[in-house]
Amino acid sequence: MTEVERSLSTMAFTSVLFFIFSIYSCSAQVPLLMWTSDGYSLPHLSQPPAGQAVSSGQLASYLKSALTAAPHNVLLFLQDKLSIDDFTMYGGVFGNKQDGAFLNIESALQASSNPLVLSALDWSASDSVLKLFQGELGITAVHIDPSTLKEFQLNPSQLSLLAIHLPYTTGAESKELLLKNDEIIGEVLDMFKSHDVPYTAVYTGLKPSRIIQDTPIMARSSVGRSLLQAPPQLSVKPPVIFNNTEGQPCILLWADNLNISYAQGHWVDLGPETFNGSATLTGSTCNETISRLVLNYQNFTKFQSLRLIFSMRKIFFPVSARNWTVMEQVVLEYDGQTAIFNGSGGIYAPAEYSFHCQSVSSSESPLLVPRTLTDNATQWRLSFTDFQIQGFNVTGELFSYASDCAGFFTPGIWMGLLTSLLMVLILTYGLHMIMQLHTMDRFDDPKGPSISVPLNE
Ligand SMILES: *[C@@H]1O[C@H](CO)[C@@H](O)[C@H](O)[C@H]1NC(C)=O
Ligand SMILES: *[C@@H]1O[C@H](CO)[C@@H](O)[C@H](O)[C@H]1NC(C)=O
Ligand SMILES: *[C@@H]1O[C@H](CO)[C@@H](O)[C@H](O)[C@H]1NC(C)=O
Ligand SMILES: *[C@@H]1O[C@H](CO)[C@@H](O)[C@H](O)[C@H]1NC(C)=O
Ligand SMILES: *[C@@H]1O[C@H](CO)[C@@H](O)[C@H](O)[C@H]1NC(C)=O
Ligand SMILES: *[C@@H]1O[C@H](CO)[C@@H](O)[C@H](O)[C@H]1NC(C)=O
Ligand SMILES: *[C@@H]1O[C@H](CO)[C@@H](O)[C@H](O)[C@H]1NC(C)=O
Ligand SMILES: *[C@@H]1O[C@H](CO)[C@@H](O)[C@H](O)[C@H]1NC(C)=O
């Protein structure tokens, strides 16, 4: 093997490893909440800068300094999986607060005087929380899961370190399960409260439930998109821009198609009319917390007047320490009738980002659902493709970073990525092997002794 080959193959291998590692490390984070019982307070800890993940080393020092002041009865609520998105999806941010899946946790956080909220903890660090506390307190943890909780007896005269393991599922049952987990957390906290035992509680996930999407790879919307498909003709049609009263752009909208269909009729694409400037924006408004984009179409469909309205709200959500843009409603007003679709909680993005989705539709994997079963909206079907919108923190006529509705690291992409990396490895190895093949010297060298074939005498 020559020097070049050797360094090439080493390079290939290390870059593959580095790539896997960097993907893994930059995207896998879990939140961690820590609070104390009434009357106690965590020491003031300096929070990491927004967007920066907390490493296990930092976490260890956080917990150490916390235990200098916090009670030494420790309750660790370790959920199989958890991501900050769970709080935004199921935390009652959308619509009714009473509807949230984290009521007990939220009220405990509110009652505690100085809770610690880490929104992005390296998930390998969350794994070590249990060990850290065992080491600091010098006692072994009692492991409890929901089925053995009933048998647990609290001994107030003894320090306790409880590790309460909570399940998690992705999909339709998520919210129900999170509600159950929250009830369990409430029960455990009540048990300590009723015995008047002070405690320090920690709630975190052992793994992320969703891979966070705003990795640098997603960066600029057009870059993110071009990774997945050929770049669309972005330069051909500029986005719809609504200016606020000061004349500064405040809402941007772009889409490939804006298809609508009434009463099972033909699909009509509002796109061309929208982006060639024929649709007016009369009625649109925007301020710090509410953005409403109204697209008016006259005599374009079978209705004399049709209005398509996107209502967005900026919501501050304490756990993520961040403002979020939430699409609350998409409304159609047609000849005096109104049809209202709810955003169903799926259309949201950090407020300083734009929201992008390859397909926003009211039928397959609905991000838009009719407000009620009898709403006029049930007569309509909407299907927007390559849809991008930004209602807050607009700084010019270009979109900010795009937060995509489909995570970049979907299972399909993961599989493709890993398969191709494997292929590269195999190829490198194969190349390596081929380079090492040598023909036998003897046949090569005409000057060497010739082969003698012993003949029978
Ligand atoms: C909105 O503002 C931008 C930049 O300030 C300007 O170029 C554009 O003409 C304005 N559009 C309208 C419709 O006023
Ligand atoms: C939406 O409209 C475009 C252009 O009219 C069309 O090519 C596309 O097939 C339509 N999509 C659906 C889902 O009907
Ligand atoms: C915009 O597009 C629509 C539909 O293609 C067309 O009817 C209309 O005349 C166009 N308007 C302008 C100003 O180009
Ligand atoms: C924004 O506008 C909405 C309605 O248009 C209004 O209720 C709200 O108070 C406004 N917020 C601010 C901060 O001006
Ligand atoms: C739409 O059509 C109606 C009747 O056909 C007409 O009275 C009206 O002026 C038209 N509006 C526009 C904006 O063309
Ligand atoms: C969230 O938005 C409000 C106003 O809408 C602003 O005062 C506040 O500073 C923002 N918070 C963050 C963390 O950006
Ligand atoms: C349809 O919209 C009209 C006008 O807003 C409303 O009066 C009517 O009740 C709606 N119909 C249904 C079934 O929601
Ligand atoms: C839509 O939102 C309204 C108000 O926010 C709520 O009352 C209604 O239950 C929601 N509908 C669905 C289907 O989620």
Side-chain angles (χ1 to χ4, degrees), residues 241-244 246-252 286 393-397:
I241 302 174
F242 173 67
N243 289 350
N244 59 14
E246 283 120 55
Q248 295 303 312
C250 73
I251 308 178
L252 304 176
C286 60
N393 298 53
V394 175
T395 52
E397 298 187 8

Side-chain angles (χ1 to χ4, degrees), residues 269-424:
D269 188 3
L270 299 176
E273 182 88 354
T274 309
F275 295 101
N276 71 9
S278 305
T280 62
L281 306 182
T282 316
S284 306
T285 57
C286 60
N287 62 23
E288 268 292 292
T289 51
I290 290 182
S291 279
R292 217 169 95 99
L293 181 66
V294 183
L295 299 167
N296 303 271
Y297 307 91
Q298 233 95 52
N299 293 351
F300 182 58
T301 53
K302 65 177 176 182
F303 301 104
Q304 259 185 35
S305 79
L306 176 77
R307 278 151 54 102
L308 177 61
I309 303 167
F310 297 95
S311 294
M312 290 165 284
R313 182 186 288 276
K314 186 160 87 176
I315 298 177
F316 178 75
F317 190 56
V319 173
S320 61
R322 188 178 227 186
N323 284 319
W324 294 79
T325 304
V326 177
M327 176 81 77
E328 289 192 313
Q329 287 183 338
V330 173
V331 179
L332 281 160
E333 285 176 12
Y334 50 105
D335 291 349
Q337 302 265 88
T338 310
I340 302 179
F341 289 92
N342 278 7
S344 87
I347 307 186
Y348 67 94
E352 58 273 24
Y353 292 0
S354 61
F355 169 84
H356 172 260
C357 198
Q358 194 51 44
S359 165
V360 174
S361 130
S362 61
S363 39
E364 347 93 54
S365 71
L367 288 172
L368 302 171
V369 287
R371 186 175 54 163
T372 60
L373 287 176
T374 54
D375 194 275
N376 289 330
T378 50
Q379 303 213 286
W380 287 89
R381 288 177 298 160
L382 308 182
S383 170
F384 308 148
T385 53
D386 210 353
F387 178 83
Q388 188 165 7
I389 196 162
Q390 182 172 358
F392 300 98
N393 298 53
V394 175
T395 52
E397 298 187 8
L398 289 173
F399 284 106
S400 305
Y401 297 142
S403 172
D404 208 87
C405 62
F408 179 70
F409 296 104
T410 56
I413 290 175
W414 259 116
M415 279 189 278
L417 211 63
L418 288 184
T419 323
S420 32
L421 290 178
L422 205 67
M423 295 289 282
V424 169

Side-chain angles (χ1 to χ4, degrees), residues 35 38-39 60 94 96-97 111 128 142 156 172 193 225-226 258-259 282 316 355 411 415 447:
W35 69 96
D38 260 356
F94 305 102
N96 200 342
K97 269 264 174 260
S128 60
V142 177
K193 224 180 271 169
R225 207 181 280 132
S226 64
L258 291 170
N259 289 5
T282 316
F316 178 75
F355 169 84
M415 279 189 278
K447 291 199 194 92

Side-chain angles (χ1 to χ4, degrees), residues 19 32 34 125 166 273 409:
F19 191 43
L32 179 140
M34 178 152 89
L166 303 170
E273 182 88 354
F409 296 104

